[in-house]
Amino acid sequence: MKIAVLPGDGIGTEIVEQAVRVLKALDLKFEMEEALVGGVAYDAHGHPLPESTLKLAKEADAVLFGAVGDWKYDKLERQFRPEQAILGLRKNLGLFANFRPAICYEQLTHASSLKPELVAGLDILIIRELTGDIYFGQPRGKRTSPDGNFPGAEEAFDTMRYTRPEIERIARVAFEAARKRNKRVTSVDKANVLETFQFWKDVVTEVHKDYPDIELDHMYVDNAAMQLVKAPKKFDVVVTGNMFGDILSDEAAMLTGSIGMLPSASLNASKQGLYEPSHGSAPDIAGKGVANPLATILSAAMMLRYSLDQEEAAQRIENAVKKVLAQGLRTPDIYSEGTTKVGTREMGDAVLKALG
Ligand code: IPM
Ligand code: MG
């Protein structure tokens, strides 16, 4: 088994370092190899996803990813921006199924901006389609507007599209995930306006026939955004397209008040996966040793579970994280009065100790 380790930019290096320490402590048989990605890769090789990094990622069973991006790259041409690395990895590895859990940890309930009773015990799984939709749809670009409100004016455009197989496979992933949970799937669309998402809704409804044990409901994306803050605990598994999933998963993450705690997994059809924290590179706190490494450590646990077939080791890590929270250790992002403030490395130390 081989893990490609891609720390990336900003706090990426600090948090991945802690996850690697935890993985090493498990004493399992796998190889880890590190490579540059994002802005640091652009600085060193002139591209955010150099050939060598992509090759390593493709050959590995799993990729442990930190974060990419920094303000200083914002002015680069789009193809050289750090974000292109993550989009390139998704596309090239066919990582179509993105799992974004939003879990509210008992000890962190107060960190949410919602009333504690709305979020206590919250456990939602957002499943976002990751390789289609308006993110990748062709054609896209700039041109002279051929019609519409201002014919002849300069315009930019993207294309929203989904094929039947793309919808079918992500729907199956969602129904199967729901089987291991509370057996409810909410499919989020915009079928009232968009052809793409009327088709999405129809195909999800068809696939559902194979899963009679799962309850399916459909919700428009605007209503879903509202319900997520009104009564988030009503959701179990949410399945949606790439763009809506991007937006709703950030909203859901914030419900927990601690995005620094949330891992994510992006899988392809052969269980190869990319694992990364749900948060970004946080350049404002990079290098200060205060970033929360727990989302990355929990991403490593997801990696063990979904790509490396090591359920026991995954649970060992998750239990260790619960233990350090119970001990009252907190990085600044989740700190509250009466708890103990620690830095990135101390948090890593504590998890290592709690592994037992
Ligand atoms: C995410 C991010 C990415 C996305 C960006 C960095 C390209 O927002 O993973 O949610 O839009 O998918
Ligand atoms: Mg996003």
Side-chain angles (χ1 to χ4, degrees):
M1 296 282 205
K2 186 164 181 176
I3 303 172
V5 179
L6 311 183
D9 304 316
I11 59 171
T13 41
E14 301 158 60
I15 54 182
V16 167
E17 186 186 336
Q18 301 312 314
V20 166
R21 289 175 74 206
V22 169
L23 282 170
K24 282 189 177 150
L26 294 171
D27 228 5
L28 296 170
K29 282 207 183 72
F30 44 64
E31 216 186 299
M32 289 193 251
E33 194 177 329
E34 206 172 304
L36 295 178
V37 74
V40 287
Y42 174 79
D43 287 339
H45 301 288
H47 198 282
L49 181 58
E51 273 305 319
S52 53
T53 300
L54 179 58
K55 183 163 176 279
L56 172 68
K58 275 185 167 165
E59 284 167 4
D61 298 282
V63 178
L64 183 64
F65 192 93
V68 292
D70 190 301
W71 303 303
K72 69 178 189 201
Y73 305 107
D74 281 354
K75 291 210 171 66
L76 288 176
E77 236 180 277
R78 179 174 307 282
Q79 55 169 335
F80 295 124
R81 286 193 210 155
E83 292 77 13
Q84 292 304 310
I86 184 82
L87 295 172
L89 283 165
R90 287 173 185 169
K91 198 64 184 174
N92 279 286
L93 274 64
L95 306 171
F96 72 91
N98 183 212
F99 288 66
R100 296 192 166 180
I103 294 170
C104 193
Y105 287 82
E106 191 193 316
Q107 295 96 343
L108 304 177
T109 308
H110 62 272
S112 175
S113 46
L114 294 192
K115 294 185 197 111
E117 63 268 27
L118 285 184
V119 293
L122 181 78
D123 182 351
I124 308 177
L125 177 60
I126 300 212
I127 297 184
R128 168 187 177 193
E129 198 290 327
L130 206 58
T131 52
D133 203 352
I134 196 165
Y135 266 59
F136 293 98
Q138 294 291 342
R140 56 186 280 163
K142 283 185 95 175
R143 64 181 173 191
T144 301
S145 185
D147 47 25
N149 292 331
F150 290 97
E154 188 187 14
E155 98 175 348
F157 66 106
D158 299 275
T159 306
M160 178 176 273
R161 50 194 278 196
Y162 265 122
T163 57
R164 174 179 287 276
E166 286 175 298
I167 304 169
E168 281 176 355
R169 66 182 179 177
I170 196 72
R172 289 193 190 284
V173 166
F175 290 128
E176 263 149 45
R179 261 191 188 149
K180 298 188 190 144
R181 297 172 46 99
N182 292 324
K183 301 193 162 49
R184 283 186 293 114
V185 171
T186 303
S187 171
V188 172
D189 62 59
K190 189 72 188 173
N192 50 345
V193 179
L194 302 170
E195 291 297 332
T196 316
F197 276 89
Q198 179 61 57
F199 186 51
W200 171 283
K201 184 175 180 178
D202 295 343
V203 174
V204 171
T205 305
E206 278 172 43
V207 173
H208 180 229
K209 291 190 187 126
D210 293 342
Y211 300 86
D213 53 321
I214 308 295
E215 199 185 304
L216 169 69
D217 66 342
H218 303 274
M219 206 178 269
Y220 297 142
V221 62
D222 48 350
N223 186 26
M226 212 160 65
Q227 297 306 323
L228 269 174
V229 285
K230 187 176 171 213
K233 282 194 263 185
K234 286 199 179 144
F235 294 99
D236 178 18
V237 173
V238 173
V239 65
T240 189
N242 203 347
M243 170 102 125
F244 299 156
D246 178 44
I247 300 165
L248 293 182
S249 63
D250 264 25
E251 188 188 5
M254 243 319 129
L255 296 177
T256 70
S258 43
I259 195 167
M261 296 295 302
L262 301 177
S264 80
S266 306
L267 295 169
N268 68 16
S270 42
K271 287 202 332 197
Q272 202 185 9
L274 182 145
Y275 299 84
E276 59 175 328
S278 283
H279 59 75
S281 54
D284 52 325
I285 57 163
K288 295 190 178 152
V290 295
N292 187 347
L294 294 178
T296 316
I297 290 171
L298 290 167
S299 298
M302 283 184 107
M303 176 172 80
L304 291 164
R305 171 171 298 125
Y306 292 118
S307 286
L308 305 178
D309 227 1
Q310 300 282 349
E311 175 61 31
E312 218 173 289
Q315 285 184 24
R316 249 182 98 191
I317 295 181
E318 288 163 353
N319 288 333
V321 168
K322 283 187 196 138
K323 214 156 146 189
V324 301
L325 288 179
Q327 288 162 359
L329 301 185
R330 305 281 188 272
T331 42
D333 57 308
I334 51 174
Y335 174 79
S336 64
E337 237 179 73
T339 61
T340 312
K341 203 183 275 185
V342 296
T344 311
R345 191 171 179 92
E346 287 166 280
M347 190 56 113
D349 288 343
V351 174
L352 279 175
K353 216 194 241 162
L355 279 176

